[in-house]
Amino acid sequence: MSVILGIDIGGSGIKGAPVDTRTGRLAGERRRIPTPEGAAPGDVQSVVKELVEHFGLPGAVGVTFPGIVQRGHTLSAANVHPDWVGLDADALFSEATGHEVHLINDADAAGLAEARFGAGQGVQGTVMVLTFGTGIGSALIHDGVLIPNTELGHLWLRDKHAESWASDRARERDDLNWKQWSKRASTYLQHLELLFSPDLFIIGGGVSKKADKWQDHLTVGRSRVVPATLLNEAGIIGAAMMAARHAEPVTGPAAAEPAPEGQPAPSKAAAAKTPASKTPARKAPARKKA
């Protein structure tokens, strides 16, 4: 199945849309619901369920999360409720929706989408996608394969915490013009270039809508720098790509469709033979009745 529901959990809104994972285009109108205040697991679960029911698509669902995601567990919660830490979020959403749900870090989702269908399409080697907004998200992709959860916005530049100093929020907080902000962003990109030598930087997040304001002011050594092209749709598209990797194989003529970039997901049969982790997964906290 090529049309898969992608859902992007953001700080102010939770957005969903059906995605044709063969083309990277939305296959229907996007729907947005405000993120519940505090973004507690049970409240976000209800919104995701509402979106799944609204679209009524069969099959797997992909969901982004603003934090570290490892094998379906959410391991950090910088801008959401602390109850997310250590939670088996794949199971939380799968139980609520009756669908097989797969989570991916939000910047990683945007990176997958941009590398395959956006500004990085056809680029070989190392592509680094950076989303400048409230913080700085990062995705590192080498020859189409994602290295997940890089969290490079939390690097330190001498005494400066990168995302606290060079994010779009920092630009607004410190009342910087675009040339002043570009000088900070250039310092950050030069440090990343020293560490990773990417062939291409893709700049996403809120600043990508105003590339004409900063693009001529960014200075790096060897790497190319381009603005993202998928804008607000990147997370939704990347989430659907992640779910497509885990979708049940289709028998018959339709089975020839290749999987999206990334390591192939193990089959359910293989997964069943894998011993469970000795560390028990935390369950979602029970919601209080209204």
Side-chain angles (χ1 to χ4, degrees), residues 90-160:
D90 275 8
L92 173 75
F93 291 125
S94 295
E95 283 180 20
T97 63
H99 291 251
E100 189 174 324
V101 177
H102 299 281
L103 259 67
I104 180 173
N105 170 267
D106 54 357
D108 285 343
L112 277 179
E114 284 290 345
R116 185 174 182 189
F117 298 116
Q121 188 172 12
V123 176
Q124 297 298 310
T126 302
V127 175
M128 183 172 288
V129 180
L130 300 169
T131 57
F132 289 83
T134 304
I136 300 176
S138 63
L140 184 62
I141 295 126
H142 181 69
D143 287 341
V145 179
L146 173 71
I147 294 87
N149 298 309
T150 48
E151 296 288 310
L152 298 176
H154 297 298
L155 287 176
W156 284 82
L157 308 173
R158 295 185 180 177
D159 60 339
K160 302 289 194 301

Side-chain angles (χ1 to χ4, degrees), residues 232-257:
N232 290 334
E233 296 178 358
I236 292 173
I237 295 167
M241 291 171 65
M242 166 60 73
R245 285 178 47 195
H246 292 271
E248 288 280 7
V250 179
T251 57
E257 181 186 338

